[in-house]
Amino acid sequence: MRTPANPAAALLRGVGVYLLVALTLAFFALPMLWLASAPFDKHPGITVSLPDFTLANFERLWNNPNAVNSLASSLILAAGSAVLVVGLSALAAYALSRVHIRGRDGLLYALLLLSSIVTGTAAMVPIFLLAAELDLVDSYLGVVLVLTGGLLPAAIFILKDFMDTTPRSYEESARVFGASSLRVMKDIVVPVVRPGLATVGVWTVAQVWGNFLIPFLLLRSPDKSPAAVVMYTFYTEGGQPDLALISTFSLLYSLPVVLMFLFVSRRYGFRFHGGIKA
């Protein structure tokens, strides 16, 4: 015969669960609240409090010569890398999906594994030497090429699954009417795998937008430094972090990625766990 549950123990267990959930939510919510309030506070600190409202922090940031340029630099790097990664990975994934070669899946897993193991930190010296040899130091093109090369294996791996699910009967029908491979790719495959292309595009922009090491290593001119690098320079004359500039810049720095995610989510139906609506 089953023993009835102890009401006191059940109550304590429920209180413990709710307390754990509340602490977890507070852990993630407090940084967001600080980011939303500190830029509008006359004297921002490291704690969350009601702001002594002012817009002077935005005026200081606007007058900083490197801040606005750095956002433009981040935009150039993110857009250039996204175009190359989406275009090249789509072509490679389509070819790997349609052409059967021995060891194809093993090659894909090897590329993905190597791209995860050989990080930018580990390959920092050879990357810099290669860029110097090709005269790509202090150029946007050099950073875009290095970032694109690092992101391509994972992008190909993601897109190949989308290519595999594209019905081949569509392509066969187009070929009957004389469509070339590029025409099939442009008019048949790309419209079907648009959610996958959007996934890779958003993922690429997010990766490049927050990348610090490669631009810090290859871009020598301060006016070319992206936002992730310029934020590192926001210190007072006494060597303390300038929380007014850091919080204001962080808010503006995060807005483009959030807006892009919301736009793509509305357009293609992303879920917050990263999947695609059926």
Side-chain angles (χ1 to χ4, degrees), residues 107-118 153:
L107 173 64
L108 276 176
Y109 283 111
L111 285 175
L112 186 64
L113 185 63
L114 286 175
S115 68
S116 302
I117 294 175
V118 184

Side-chain angles (χ1 to χ4, degrees), residues 1-269:
M1 183 176 177
R2 188 174 181 180
T3 305
N6 188 340
L11 178 63
L12 287 176
R13 189 164 50 249
V15 171
V17 170
Y18 281 113
L19 183 61
L20 179 62
V21 171
L23 289 175
T24 304
L25 290 177
F27 179 79
F28 289 103
L30 284 177
M32 297 297 103
L33 290 176
W34 180 85
L35 184 62
S37 63
F40 304 97
D41 196 342
K42 188 178 294 183
H43 304 290
I46 59 173
T47 58
V48 178
S49 60
L50 288 177
D52 185 4
F53 187 81
T54 180
L55 293 177
N57 296 334
F58 290 91
E59 185 179 353
R60 279 189 60 202
L61 187 68
W62 180 258
N63 293 328
N64 188 300
N66 294 326
V68 178
N69 290 338
S70 69
L71 291 175
S73 297
S74 291
L75 187 61
I76 293 171
L77 296 178
S81 302
V83 169
L84 284 181
V85 169
V86 171
L88 295 177
S89 63
L91 293 173
Y94 179 67
L96 287 171
S97 174
R98 295 299 184 265
V99 179
H100 295 281
I101 55 176
R102 182 177 297 179
R104 179 189 60 183
D105 293 337
L107 173 64
L108 276 176
Y109 283 111
L111 285 175
L112 186 64
L113 185 63
L114 286 175
S115 68
S116 302
I117 294 175
V118 184
T119 62
T121 306
M124 175 168 64
V125 174
I127 285 175
F128 183 81
L129 293 177
L130 181 61
E133 188 71 23
L134 298 175
D135 197 21
L136 291 175
V137 174
D138 201 27
S139 74
Y140 290 131
L141 179 61
V143 178
V144 167
L145 290 178
V146 171
L147 293 174
T148 299
L151 296 174
L152 265 180
I156 294 171
F157 187 82
I158 294 171
L159 275 181
K160 182 179 175 297
D161 282 342
F162 285 90
M163 298 293 182
D164 288 342
T165 58
T166 304
R168 300 195 181 197
S169 58
Y170 295 174
E171 302 172 37
E172 292 166 358
S173 300
R175 290 186 190 281
V176 167
F177 290 97
S180 63
S181 297
L182 285 178
R183 185 69 182 273
V184 169
M185 180 77 182
K186 175 175 174 288
D187 293 337
I188 304 296
V189 178
V190 168
V192 174
V193 300
R194 273 188 304 181
L197 300 177
T199 302
V200 172
V202 171
W203 172 74
T204 302
V205 170
Q207 293 288 324
V208 175
W209 196 259
N211 192 288
F212 172 84
L213 180 62
I214 300 300
F216 181 73
L217 183 69
L218 295 182
L219 294 177
R220 318 307 298 174
S221 303
D223 59 336
K224 291 184 179 178
S225 296
V229 177
V230 167
M231 191 183 298
Y232 181 68
T233 66
F234 289 155
Y235 285 88
T236 63
E237 293 179 354
Q240 298 297 317
D242 192 333
L243 294 179
L245 278 183
I246 290 175
S247 60
T248 309
F249 191 70
S250 298
L251 180 63
L252 296 179
Y253 178 52
S254 59
L255 279 180
V257 177
V258 174
L259 293 176
M260 180 190 65
F261 177 82
L262 293 177
F263 171 76
V264 176
S265 174
R266 183 180 179 83
R267 182 71 176 80
Y268 295 105

